[in-house]
Amino acid sequence: MRKKTDVLVVGSGMAGLTAAVLCAEAGRQVTILEQNWLPGGCSSSYPRKHYVFESGATTLVGLDPGMPLHWVLERTGIEVPATVLEVPMQVYLQDGTRLTRWRDLDAWIAEAERAFGPEGQRAFWTQCFDISRFVWDTSIRQRAFPPSALSDLIFAAGQFRPRQVAFAALAYQSMAQMLRQYGLHDNARFVAFVNEQLLITAQNYVSEVNVLFGATALCYTQFTNYYMPGGLINLVNPMVAYLRAQGGELHLRTRAEHITRTTSGYEVTTPEETWEARQVICAIPANNAVELFDDPRIKARYQHRLLDSSDLYSAFQMGAVVRKRREMACIHHQIHLTSPLPGTGSHSIFLSLSHPDDTQRCGPDEMIASVSTHIRDPKTTFITDKTETEAAIWAALEAHDLLHREDLIYQHSSTPRSWKKWTGRAWGFVGGYPQYMRIKPWQMLDHRLDHQGAYLCGDSTYPGQGIPGACLSGIVAWQKMQLDSHSG
């Protein structure tokens, strides 16, 4: 069976949904193919045992004015039922010290000074916050970055601000160098704290993360953090509803197997049918996308720029339902471990709880807990005994009086193999491409796959930064498509 569409999007994660709704808003006929039985990719939710668990991402920012998700929702008129979190996150250091990552910058600086000493903290965090505001403002202005065509450069010139030149130099400076600049490099407790915080959104440590992205990653909590009642599927569903209202389609359990360039566009084959599309957007990791095409030029162009499993992370995730002992003012917690977690080798775990007012995911006397931790090189790292890893996680949770195993109602765990099955991503890697100093922002992967009508977006084109980064990559793919249409 053969079907036709203007724009075919492969993958329904936040990047794909963003590009799809923007194309639909511009009047294009859009079809999304999603290999899973639910949309949303790593930013979704799924039901199990009458409860609702998050599929991956558990934190949500980007809805503040000037940030990517807000820009998309304002442009399309899509509304989402988000709840503001007054306390974004709490962090437990190896020695048991608890820090509250207040959204208010002055309150957070006071907390950092209490935990790590006053030297350099105010200057460091003030600079980080200034950089982070610049990065998000510039990212929305420079929607065709990195440039790969004359039209991108013309667009960039129209959005140019003098500050962009001064801040660009920070891409050559690592976070380790910034710590040294403020006299913080010898503060071992603070460096360990920064390393584990960077791992959440930049997927790497101070020596490899440049200051532009590192400062932005560290100030994740200085922007409004939100919770989606009923799970992140309720961020996804309004975008899907908007797409369908514009005449678009979402096909679940439909895996793209092959993409061929034709005289009029592209043929995308699935196990059941063939789609003809004028343009294609691959909203999947670059490692997966290049394998779909039979064009050797695409493979040649990307083969030396793709990261291998040894450079990437997957995750071990434990989902649990527990009896509620008390109301908790904070639902996101990072715990720094005194010894590496068995089976993963990671030095921290991240706990997210369902909001105390959310009865869509569990009963009023229950809580949903999601615990995740990084696994380096998922291709060669295998967890054969999940019980040992689970036991160590519970020990850490109980040590900080967060959750207690005696309150457990239900539990399940996921390994890199589970992630590969759920998302289809190469080796089951999640979290996107990590930051590396050898890759400058203008050297990020090109959103134009072949410069003929095939585009790429997702967390391998805009590394790290969670949902805002994925959303931004979808905006960039759409913007480049718009520029190409006008220039063509």
Side-chain angles (χ1 to χ4, degrees), residues 75 203 259:
R75 185 180 183 93
Q203 306 291 313
I259 301 177

Side-chain angles (χ1 to χ4, degrees), residues 38-46 53-57 231-233 236 422:
L38 284 170
C42 294
S43 302
S44 187
S45 314
Y46 62 93
F53 296 91
E54 300 290 33
S55 65
L232 282 173
I233 190 69
V236 170
W422 176 265

Side-chain angles (χ1 to χ4, degrees), residues 149-200:
L150 177 61
S151 58
D152 294 348
L153 294 173
I154 295 172
F155 183 87
Q159 300 297 318
F160 176 75
R161 301 292 184 274
R163 276 188 99 201
Q164 294 170 14
V165 176
F167 276 87
L170 296 175
Y172 289 96
Q173 181 181 354
S174 71
M175 288 302 299
Q177 292 171 304
M178 186 177 180
L179 290 172
R180 182 175 294 276
Q181 177 184 342
Y182 289 101
L184 295 166
H185 60 291
D186 288 331
N187 189 332
R189 291 174 75 248
F190 185 64
V191 174
F193 164 78
V194 170
N195 270 329
E196 295 306 313
Q197 287 278 281
L198 284 176
L199 201 57
I200 296 175

Side-chain angles (χ1 to χ4, degrees), residues 299-366:
K299 291 182 171 61
R301 188 174 177 217
Y302 280 88
Q303 64 180 351
H304 297 300
R305 303 184 64 192
L306 299 179
L307 296 186
D308 191 63
S309 173
S310 59
D311 294 315
L312 302 170
Y313 286 96
S314 185
F316 180 91
Q317 187 180 54
M318 185 180 79
V321 184
V322 296
R323 283 180 285 273
K324 186 186 297 183
R325 287 196 175 194
R326 66 185 188 278
E327 298 290 336
M328 301 183 71
C330 180
I331 65 170
H332 297 307
H333 306 263
Q334 189 186 45
I335 301 172
H336 298 187
L337 304 173
T338 56
S339 59
L341 190 68
T344 73
S346 54
H347 297 277
S348 65
I349 60 175
F350 193 81
L351 165 69
S352 289
L353 302 170
S354 56
H355 195 281
D357 297 332
D358 187 1
T359 56
Q360 298 179 54
R361 297 179 61 192
C362 60
D365 299 321
E366 300 169 324

Side-chain angles (χ1 to χ4, degrees), residues 427-443:
W427 313 298
F429 88 88
V430 293
Y433 271 20
Q435 292 292 321
Y436 286 100
M437 283 300 297
R438 67 180 187 268
I439 304 172
K440 301 297 182 285
W442 46 89
Q443 295 173 322

Side-chain angles (χ1 to χ4, degrees), residues 47-368:
R48 183 176 289 186
K49 302 291 184 180
H50 308 294
Y51 299 103
V52 177
F53 296 91
E54 300 290 33
S55 65
T58 54
T59 60
L60 174 61
V61 299
L63 287 167
D64 289 354
M67 294 189 76
L69 189 52
H70 179 273
W71 189 88
V72 173
L73 299 183
E74 186 174 53
R75 185 180 183 93
T76 59
I78 297 171
E79 297 182 354
V80 297
T83 298
V84 173
L85 295 178
E86 297 301 328
V87 183
M89 184 191 303
Q90 289 182 328
V91 181
Y92 301 79
L93 304 183
Q94 287 185 350
D95 61 8
T97 301
R98 185 181 72 180
L99 292 83
T100 300
R101 294 239 37 197
W102 302 108
R103 180 191 172 198
D104 178 78
L105 182 61
D106 286 331
W108 163 240
I109 290 173
E111 183 81 335
E113 290 177 337
R114 175 187 68 82
F116 304 112
E119 181 183 357
Q121 292 293 330
R122 176 163 294 277
F124 175 82
W125 288 106
T126 300
Q127 176 73 348
C128 281
F129 186 51
D130 189 37
I131 293 169
S132 67
R133 288 186 299 178
F134 163 80
V135 167
W136 287 124
D137 177 70
T138 302
S139 295
I140 288 298
R141 288 182 178 276
Q142 296 290 359
R143 296 188 300 275
F145 185 87
S148 60
L150 177 61
S151 58
D152 294 348
L153 294 173
I154 295 172
F155 183 87
Q159 300 297 318
F160 176 75
R161 301 292 184 274
R163 276 188 99 201
Q164 294 170 14
V165 176
F167 276 87
L170 296 175
Y172 289 96
Q173 181 181 354
S174 71
M175 288 302 299
Q177 292 171 304
M178 186 177 180
L179 290 172
R180 182 175 294 276
Q181 177 184 342
Y182 289 101
L184 295 166
H185 60 291
D186 288 331
N187 189 332
R189 291 174 75 248
F190 185 64
V191 174
F193 164 78
V194 170
N195 270 329
E196 295 306 313
Q197 287 278 281
L198 284 176
L199 201 57
I200 296 175
T201 48
Q203 306 291 313
N204 221 326
Y205 297 117
V206 294
S207 61
E208 287 290 356
V209 180
N210 73 60
V211 169
L212 276 180
F213 285 151
T216 306
L218 288 179
C219 288
Y220 201 85
T221 52
Q222 266 55 72
F223 295 87
T224 311
N225 280 238
Y226 295 86
Y227 176 84
M228 196 61 59
L232 282 173
I233 190 69
N234 289 328
L235 171 63
V236 170
N237 283 337
M239 300 180 79
V240 173
Y242 177 87
L243 174 69
R244 287 173 169 158
Q246 308 306 309
E249 300 179 7
L250 167 65
H251 294 263
L252 300 172
R253 299 182 187 272
T254 305
R255 185 179 70 257
E257 294 186 328
H258 198 69
I259 301 177
T260 304
R261 174 74 184 168
T262 67
T263 55
S264 58
Y266 299 87
E267 280 189 354
V268 182
T269 58
T270 75
E272 295 81 23
E273 57 205 4
T274 297
W275 285 87
E276 297 178 10
R278 292 171 55 195
Q279 294 166 306
V280 169
I281 299 174
C282 288
I284 55 178
N287 302 67
N288 295 81
V290 297
E291 295 301 319
L292 291 178
F293 288 84
D294 59 2
D295 187 343
R297 292 170 297 181
I298 293 178
K299 291 182 171 61
R301 188 174 177 217
Y302 280 88
Q303 64 180 351
H304 297 300
R305 303 184 64 192
L306 299 179
L307 296 186
D308 191 63
S309 173
S310 59
D311 294 315
L312 302 170
Y313 286 96
S314 185
F316 180 91
Q317 187 180 54
M318 185 180 79
V321 184
V322 296
R323 283 180 285 273
K324 186 186 297 183
R325 287 196 175 194
R326 66 185 188 278
E327 298 290 336
M328 301 183 71
C330 180
I331 65 170
H332 297 307
H333 306 263
Q334 189 186 45
I335 301 172
H336 298 187
L337 304 173
T338 56
S339 59
L341 190 68
T344 73
S346 54
H347 297 277
S348 65
I349 60 175
F350 193 81
L351 165 69
S352 289
L353 302 170
S354 56
H355 195 281
D357 297 332
D358 187 1
T359 56
Q360 298 179 54
R361 297 179 61 192
C362 60
D365 299 321
E366 300 169 324
M367 290 191 300
I368 303 288

Side-chain angles (χ1 to χ4, degrees), residues 387-457:
T387 58
E388 184 182 17
T389 307
E390 292 168 347
I393 289 173
W394 277 108
L397 296 175
E398 290 178 330
H400 295 286
D401 194 29
L402 289 167
L403 299 178
H404 295 267
R405 197 160 192 170
E406 63 190 60
D407 297 325
L408 180 64
I409 298 171
Y410 169 75
Q411 172 184 308
H412 67 270
S413 299
S414 305
T415 67
R417 291 181 179 180
S418 306
W419 286 110
K420 183 175 182 180
K421 182 178 180 180
W422 176 265
T423 64
R425 297 166 67 101
W427 313 298
F429 88 88
V430 293
Y433 271 20
Q435 292 292 321
Y436 286 100
M437 283 300 297
R438 67 180 187 268
I439 304 172
K440 301 297 182 285
W442 46 89
Q443 295 173 322
M444 295 187 300
L445 294 180
D446 191 359
H447 288 72
R448 293 183 179 91
L449 275 165
D450 61 0
H451 286 254
Q452 297 184 79
Y455 300 84
L456 176 70
C457 62

